[in-house]
């Protein structure tokens, strides 16, 4: 069983920055994928960034390079640095984890999810 604890959400003005953190504990695998997702009511959940245990990242095209995902394996923590935030970034943000798949990498369904934190940009 894996537990994830997320922190760092809140409200910010357009153009501002926020950093989300997600710490994992419990069962560990040699390789883990960590991902950040966001959801707006009435829309599908969007995968915005993923990172594997070696640091290889992938981002949604819609981010336009404004967000950066990183991880500290020693702390079992993944971060999402969000810069130049826009009102359309307003959403509930979720951290998730799954074992790395040698065929699909960090794509696909995630096994473990955090409750989510609200990010509001005005």
């Amino acid at each position: 069983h894996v537990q994830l604890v997320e922190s760092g959400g809140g409200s910010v003005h357009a153009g501002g920055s926020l950093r989300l953190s997600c710490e994992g504990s419990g069962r560990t695998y040699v390789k883990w994928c960590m991902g950040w997702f966001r959801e707006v009511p009435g829309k599908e959940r969007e995968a915005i960034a993923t990172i594997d245990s070696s640091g290889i990242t992938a981002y949604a095209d819609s981010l336009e390079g404004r967000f950066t995902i990183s991880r500290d394996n020693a702390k079992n923590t993944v971060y999402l640095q969000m810069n130049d935030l826009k009102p359309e970034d307003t959403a509930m943000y979720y951290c998730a984890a799954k074992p790395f798949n040698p065929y699909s990498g960090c794509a696909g369904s995630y096994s473990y999810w955090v409750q989510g934190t609200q990010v509001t940009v005005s």
Side-chain angles (χ1 to χ4, degrees), residues 4 8-9 15-17 19-20 42 48 54 60 62 69 75-76 96 100-101 109 114 117 120:
L4 301 174
S17 298
R19 189 176 81 156
L20 304 181
I48 55 176
S54 63
S62 60
I69 188 171
K75 296 181 179 180
N76 290 328
F100 178 84
N101 186 301
S109 299
V114 73
T117 188
T120 302

Side-chain angles (χ1 to χ4, degrees), residues 38 40 62-63 66-67 82-93 119-121:
R38 65 185 180 186
V40 176
S62 60
L63 297 181
R66 298 180 294 115
F67 293 8
M82 304 184 290
N83 298 326
D84 190 22
L85 283 161
K86 302 177 180 181
E88 52 263 42
D89 294 317
T90 296
M92 186 70 77
Y93 283 72
V119 170
T120 302
V121 185

Side-chain angles (χ1 to χ4, degrees), residues 3-102:
Q3 291 183 323
L4 301 174
V5 178
E6 184 176 353
S7 61
S11 298
V12 65
H13 292 302
S17 298
L18 283 174
R19 189 176 81 156
L20 304 181
S21 300
C22 178
E23 181 178 0
S25 62
R27 184 180 182 185
T28 57
Y29 291 85
V30 175
K31 294 185 177 181
W32 274 101
C33 292
M34 301 292 290
W36 289 98
F37 300 76
R38 65 185 180 186
E39 188 171 0
V40 176
K43 295 185 177 181
E44 290 188 3
R45 184 173 293 181
E46 177 187 20
I48 55 176
T50 63
I51 186 169
D52 69 13
S53 59
S54 63
I56 296 175
T57 60
Y59 295 93
D61 293 338
S62 60
L63 297 181
E64 301 174 331
R66 298 180 294 115
F67 293 8
T68 302
I69 188 171
S70 61
R71 66 190 292 167
D72 184 335
N73 288 333
K75 296 181 179 180
N76 290 328
T77 300
V78 63
Y79 305 96
L80 183 69
Q81 178 66 43
M82 304 184 290
N83 298 326
D84 190 22
L85 283 161
K86 302 177 180 181
E88 52 263 42
D89 294 317
T90 296
M92 186 70 77
Y93 283 72
Y94 299 89
C95 168
K98 63 169 241 177
F100 178 84
N101 186 301

